[in-house]
Amino acid sequence: MIPLSYYMILSAIVFVTGVVGVLIRRNIIMLLLSIELMLNATNINFVAFSYYLGNIAGQVFVFFALTVAAAEVAVGLAIIIALYRGKATVNVAELNLMKW
Amino acid sequence: MTIVSTADLLAILPELLVMAGGCLVLVLDPLTAKDRKDWLAYFSLAVLGAAFVVGYWFMGALTGSPRPAFSGLYVLDAYGAFWKLLLILVSGLVILLAKAHLKLEEIDLPEFYAFILLSLSGMMVMVSGTDLLVIYLGLELMSLSLYVMAGFKRYAPRSLEAAAKYFILGSFSSGILLYGISLLFGRTGSTTLAGIRDGIAGLPPGDPILLMAMGLLVVGFGFKVAAVPFHMWTPDVYEGSPTSVTAYMAVASKAASFAAFLRVFLEALGGIKESWRMLLVAVCIATMVLGNVVAIVQTNIKRMLAYSSIAHAGYALIGLVVADAAGTASVMLYLAIYAFMNLGAFAVVTMLRRGGLEGDEIDDFTGLARRNKWAALVMLLFMFSLAGIPPTAGFIAKFYIFMAAVGANMTGLAVIAVVFAAISAYFYLRVVMVMYMKEPGETAGTPGYDVRVVASPAAIAVLLVAALGVLILGVFPDPLIQAAQSAILPLK
């Protein structure tokens, strides 16, 4: 049987990939994908813990997390399309109307 | 076996009313004639009124005995009821404010009221959930509606930019929060707050995964309440969003996030209080320092109020760091009073027009007392209150927070807070100075040129409620203090 720690390491790697992606990528679509990676890393964690603890609550959580992620993408893509229409760019480095 | 009983449904009656109201506004919008769209605003206010009455009745019926619902996923208690009443009141005022403001900005769409109601229902779920799943869902419902509202002026590049930034950073922070929740679940085998508390009691002290989960939760909630170093989104989003949305974000979303922050950390993570306390003291001091210092150099009033709202999050965090009954009550008191003064300040900003634009530069306030003495007077009142000068309510709010810190032997923290509250007087009083001690510019290019105050009955009503709230709570704060003290979380 695969030990729990393998799943946790996998999910940590996916999560960190997502976080680094959000921090270094400049294309807003890539940022959206990186955020999805973070959410899916969480899902791996929940399912693995749920299986090893024999507690179904984790899997229930995954269903809700998936639904929320879908809603988030719907809203996010709508915002990105509006942004592209308004500014003809999806590069976050060009979102610089307001600066400290 | 019934999964959902009538008692459960009754427990979420205010939430159901608000949620159904929000959906109904969306349905009624295309069915309403163009010249009758105002009715939808009144309809939303009626829904909020009904929810307020039910919530008030719950609050009276509940003192002292929390009633769990939905098999312990949800709770009906005085703590939740206090926040719900505050949030409903704030939403009502924002709807009134928006009714006047959206017309000026030419974005008078009834969807706005639907989003306010949906977002409010998320906040109400968030403050009453006793399971991290429920709290997370409430938080997302609140945030998703706010992302849309931030971009509501969809032909204005600034509003779009605000929405995009808010969306990216907001969902990034929810991702971090969710990862923290998953680690907590793995370590304690539960997602309910009570289950997590029991699970933590059985773990060895200093468990690294538990500490990491706690850290991730601090990051997630820190983003939502705009604490340093997770505040980067705040100035840009506050500046770019339509002002009535900014007011809603600054007041309601902050209050709801603090309510959930307190409940999660005191109820679920109370067992590792010593570990998160050190972390939060650092966050709290950094928040007060950065918020107050950077606000000094701002030239845009919305941006200044954004840094001021960061600073106020720092003061409110003191109450969480103290982590006792007095601390909890002082946070509740603080955010209730903060709601009035901040909403009032933003309401004045919505009324100021420079040419066809919104007058959101501090320069636009130049000589306001000459143009409209009432607008200048209420702005003066809100600025004094934000600075914490007696006899306004802002003083009472700060006083109780600092007393809670002193009472818990954290005098050092209280001293730092007082010093930075004194520094904050500089940028609040600068607005008062330009309003009263300078003449408005008469030629193009001078500060205060071509600025006028557009007063509508709805905006005046909001200003009146906010101003009376600041004054009355400043002189007779006892009822609110008692309400907060009787609604604190049962600490274990």
Side-chain angles (χ1 to χ4, degrees):
Chain A
M1 191 160 119
I2 305 170
L4 176 61
S5 55
Y6 285 26
Y7 289 104
M8 287 182 69
I9 291 167
L10 171 68
S11 101
I13 291 171
V14 175
F15 183 75
V16 171
T17 313
V19 171
V20 173
V22 172
L23 297 179
I24 66 169
R25 285 296 190 142
R26 286 292 153 258
N27 184 314
I28 204 164
I29 306 278
M30 294 309 289
L31 295 188
L32 201 59
L33 286 177
S34 304
I35 289 167
E36 286 303 303
L37 272 185
M38 291 167 63
L39 295 177
N40 283 325
T42 313
N43 290 343
I44 297 175
N45 251 352
F46 272 122
V47 173
F49 285 137
S50 174
Y51 182 73
Y52 282 86
L53 294 169
N55 183 342
I56 204 78
Q59 294 179 40
V60 174
F61 214 120
V62 170
F63 279 109
F64 282 98
L66 283 175
T67 317
V68 169
E72 214 163 59
V73 170
V75 170
L77 285 176
I79 289 175
I80 293 172
I81 289 173
L83 184 75
Y84 186 74
R85 280 191 187 146
K87 304 195 62 162
T89 179
V90 286
N91 186 340
V92 283
E94 287 173 41
L95 298 183
N96 53 7
L97 280 179
M98 294 169 288
K99 267 274 156 64
W100 170 21
Chain B
M1 184 185 116
T2 47
I3 298 174
V4 176
S5 68
T6 322
D8 288 342
L9 288 178
L10 213 64
I12 56 164
L13 188 58
E15 285 85 340
L16 286 179
L17 277 174
V18 171
M19 213 174 282
C23 297
L24 215 57
V25 170
L26 285 177
V27 175
L28 289 177
D29 175 23
L31 303 177
T32 321
K34 263 222 162 69
D35 52 338
R36 291 208 190 140
K37 297 285 188 195
D38 273 359
W39 288 55
L40 291 171
Y42 301 130
F43 172 74
S44 314
L45 285 174
V47 168
L48 289 179
F52 191 88
V53 170
V54 177
Y56 190 77
W57 171 59
F58 279 173
M59 175 137 179
L62 280 173
T63 356
S65 57
R67 231 172 284 174
F70 291 99
S71 333
L73 296 181
Y74 209 78
V75 71
L76 205 59
D77 59 359
Y79 177 77
F82 177 93
W83 288 108
K84 273 183 229 173
L85 292 184
L86 175 66
L87 292 169
I88 294 172
L89 182 69
V90 166
S91 308
L93 291 175
V94 171
I95 288 182
L96 270 181
L97 185 64
K99 199 177 140 311
H101 178 238
L102 296 184
K103 282 213 176 70
L104 291 175
E105 295 279 334
E106 292 162 3
I107 41 172
D108 192 13
L109 303 167
E111 285 96 330
F112 190 88
Y113 310 120
F115 281 120
I116 293 255
L117 292 180
L118 290 176
S119 167
L120 171 66
S121 64
M123 293 176 194
M124 291 164 80
V125 167
M126 199 170 145
V127 300
S128 307
T130 47
D131 185 291
L132 287 175
L133 172 58
V134 177
I135 292 176
Y136 173 72
L137 289 178
L139 190 124
E140 283 295 321
L141 181 51
M142 168 186 95
S143 307
L144 288 176
S145 316
L146 284 175
Y147 301 150
V148 180
M149 280 156 67
F152 211 71
K153 202 176 171 187
R154 65 179 193 284
Y155 52 81
R158 273 167 191 261
S159 183
L160 286 173
E161 195 175 309
K165 283 181 178 167
Y166 193 26
F167 168 72
I168 293 293
L169 290 173
S171 37
F172 180 60
S173 74
S174 336
I176 294 178
L177 180 73
L178 198 62
Y179 199 76
I181 294 175
S182 79
L183 290 181
L184 262 187
F185 170 69
R187 234 33 214 118
T188 61
S190 172
T191 54
T192 62
L193 300 184
I196 290 171
R197 188 180 58 232
D198 296 344
I200 287 177
L203 287 175
D207 184 84
I209 294 182
L210 182 63
L211 290 182
M212 194 170 138
M214 181 269 292
L216 292 170
L217 254 58
V218 169
V219 176
F221 280 115
F223 257 104
K224 296 290 169 197
V225 301
V228 176
F230 320 111
H231 67 286
M232 304 81 79
W233 60 274
T234 321
D236 286 1
V237 173
Y238 279 25
E239 185 187 341
S241 307
T243 310
S244 33
V245 180
T246 311
Y248 194 56
M249 283 194 284
V251 174
S253 120
K254 188 174 293 241
S257 308
F258 258 110
F261 201 168
L262 246 71
R263 198 194 275 279
V264 170
F265 275 70
L266 295 179
E267 284 198 356
L269 302 178
I272 48 169
K273 195 189 278 181
E274 291 314 316
S275 341
W276 52 259
R277 206 180 222 175
M278 285 190 305
L279 190 61
L280 282 181
V281 167
V283 169
C284 169
I285 293 176
T287 308
M288 288 188 290
V289 174
L290 189 129
N292 282 317
V293 172
V294 181
I296 292 175
V297 297
Q298 300 306 319
T299 54
N300 181 298
I301 186 107
K302 281 163 84 179
R303 225 173 159 77
M304 187 204 93
L305 286 171
Y307 281 104
S308 128
S309 112
I310 294 172
H312 284 277
Y315 302 131
L317 272 175
I318 296 177
L320 174 57
V321 167
V322 167
D324 59 9
T328 318
S330 65
V331 175
M332 296 165 84
L333 184 68
Y334 196 90
L335 285 161
I337 289 175
Y338 168 81
F340 286 103
M341 53 201 193
N342 222 22
L343 209 54
F346 278 113
V348 176
V349 178
T350 62
M351 290 164 62
L352 226 56
R353 311 294 296 178
R354 178 190 352 110
L357 295 168
E358 190 168 62
D360 60 358
E361 298 292 327
I362 294 178
D363 276 351
D364 295 333
F365 282 82
T366 308
L368 187 66
R370 294 272 186 290
R371 295 196 193 278
N372 188 323
K373 60 174 191 265
W374 291 107
L377 187 69
V378 286
M379 194 63 177
L380 169 108
L381 179 67
F382 298 133
M383 289 294 130
F384 274 17
S385 183
L386 283 166
I389 296 169
T392 55
F395 170 73
I396 303 288
K398 284 211 174 69
F399 179 76
Y400 273 87
I401 284 273
F402 299 159
M403 284 311 287
V406 172
N409 275 329
M410 298 182 121
T411 321
L413 195 59
V415 170
I416 296 176
V418 170
V419 168
F420 280 94
I423 291 176
S424 78
Y426 173 79
F427 56 85
Y428 292 126
L429 296 187
R430 190 177 55 166
V431 177
V432 175
M433 193 273 286
V434 301
M435 283 193 308
Y436 278 91
M437 299 184 186
K438 288 195 173 167
E439 292 294 322
E442 295 301 337
T443 49
T446 49
Y449 172 71
D450 197 20
V451 172
R452 67 205 164 89
V453 177
V454 182
S456 63
I460 291 173
V462 173
L463 280 182
L464 214 60
V465 172
L468 286 178
V470 167
L471 277 176
I472 293 175
L473 291 175
V475 184
F476 305 108
D478 285 348
L480 186 65
I481 294 172
Q482 271 158 19
Q485 280 171 347
S486 65
I488 54 165
L489 285 169
L491 296 171
K492 295 186 181 81

